């Protein structure tokens, strides 16, 4: 049965009608399918390359912005208030852009950069050499992350873990001022209550004296 069916198919292919169907229908159909698959693969590869190129450009722009903010942070103590506001806005925007990148270790890179920027701002007051060294480490870390994300991700994770368990440093002048302001605010209700009690005692004393004076 199967042999007979196979022989019929072979004879049909060898016949004039079979050859006509093969050359006019089957071969063009197969060619169209193969061409579509090849075109789809080529388009897919081109789209992937385009997306990868855009990601690299966005990553390079974010890294360049962070490095520029780092250079200003190294001289933070010499900047004016408007310049500080501009740098803060610039660095915050760059950190958000880094977090949104579909790149390995983007969140760790943003956290690491934020900590480094804060450290450079503190060191810019009295430790210019240390701020310069922090800036060099900052640049090297970001450039390494741009070229070798996997390696930089491990370094960022190690640094963040080490910073997490660091002992707190001596508070800065701004931090000390903020602490004093919080303490003063917390002491206000007590001071007000004491003033009210004093006023009440004075009034009661005056009331006591007045009847005595009237009796005399």
């Amino acid at each position: 049965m199967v042999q007979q069916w196979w022989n019929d198919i072979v004879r049909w292919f060898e016949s004039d009608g079979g050859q006509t169907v093969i050359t006019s229908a089957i071969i063009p159909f197969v060619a169209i399918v193969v061409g579509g698959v090849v075109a789809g693969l080529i388009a897919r590869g081109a789209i992937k390359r385009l997306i990868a190129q855009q990601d690299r450009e966005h990553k390079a722009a974010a890294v360049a912005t962070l490095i520029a903010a780092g250079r200003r942070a190294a001289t933070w103590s010499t900047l004016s208030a408007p310049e500080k506001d501009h740098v803060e806005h610039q660095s915050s925007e760059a950190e958000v852009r880094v977090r949104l990148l579909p790149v390995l270790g983007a969140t760790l890179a943003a956290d690491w950069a934020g900590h480094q920027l804060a450290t450079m701002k503190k060191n810019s007051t009295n430790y210019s050499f240390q701020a310069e060294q922090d800036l060099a480490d900052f640049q090297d870390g970001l450039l390494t992350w741009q070229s070798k994300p996997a390696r930089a991700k491990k370094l960022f994770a190690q640094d963040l873990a080490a910073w997490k368990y660091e002992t707190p440093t001596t508070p800065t002048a701004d931090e000390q001022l903020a602490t004093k302001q919080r303490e003063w605010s917390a002491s206000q209700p007590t001071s007000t209550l004491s003033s009210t009690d004093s006023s009440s005692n004075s009034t009661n004393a005056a009331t006591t004296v007045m009847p005595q004076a009237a009796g005399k």
Side-chain angles (χ1 to χ4, degrees):
M1 179 69 181
V2 176
Q3 185 68 28
Q4 182 64 34
W5 178 74
W6 176 254
N7 292 333
D8 293 340
I9 293 176
V10 172
R11 283 195 297 268
W12 180 81
F13 273 106
E14 292 178 351
S15 63
D16 294 338
Q19 292 295 323
T20 302
V21 170
I22 292 173
T23 55
S24 61
I26 296 178
I27 293 178
F29 174 77
V30 173
I32 292 172
V33 171
V34 173
V37 171
V38 173
L41 293 175
I42 294 174
R44 182 180 180 183
I47 292 173
K48 283 186 175 181
R49 287 192 297 271
L50 178 61
I51 294 175
Q53 181 180 358
Q54 291 179 347
D55 290 342
R56 287 193 299 270
E57 292 176 354
H58 293 162
K59 183 179 179 181
V63 168
T65 304
L66 282 176
I67 291 176
R71 290 173 180 169
R72 305 300 296 276
T75 58
W76 184 257
S77 60
T78 63
L79 299 180
S80 62
E83 288 176 327
K84 290 181 179 180
D85 291 338
H86 176 71
V87 174
E88 287 285 358
H89 175 74
Q90 187 182 34
S91 59
S92 298
E93 183 180 357
E95 287 182 28
V96 172
R97 290 169 61 186
V98 169
R99 292 182 189 278
L100 295 177
L101 288 174
V103 182
L104 183 65
T107 301
L108 288 176
D111 294 339
W112 183 86
H115 186 280
Q116 288 287 73
L117 288 172
T119 301
M120 282 188 286
K121 291 175 185 177
K122 293 180 180 179
N123 292 336
S124 66
T125 304
N126 299 319
Y127 304 101
S128 59
F129 174 78
Q130 185 61 42
E132 293 176 358
Q133 183 62 40
D134 291 339
L135 176 59
D137 296 339
F138 183 70
Q139 292 177 341
D140 292 341
L142 290 178
L143 293 176
T144 301
W145 178 65
Q146 184 178 6
S147 59
K148 300 177 181 178
R151 178 183 177 185
K153 179 183 177 182
K154 295 180 181 179
L155 297 177
F156 292 163
Q158 293 174 359
D159 288 344
L160 290 172
W163 293 332
K164 184 178 180 181
Y165 295 102
E166 280 183 350
T167 55
T169 57
T170 303
T172 61
D174 293 338
E175 293 173 345
Q176 292 176 354
L177 178 59
T179 302
K180 291 181 180 179
Q181 289 176 344
R182 287 194 296 269
E183 292 175 353
W184 180 83
S185 299
S187 64
Q188 281 303 102
T190 304
S191 300
T192 304
L193 182 59
S194 301
S195 300
T196 303
D197 293 341
S198 299
S199 300
S200 299
N201 293 333
S202 299
T203 303
N204 293 335
T207 305
T208 304
V209 171
M210 289 176 66
Q212 292 176 356
K216 293 180 181 179

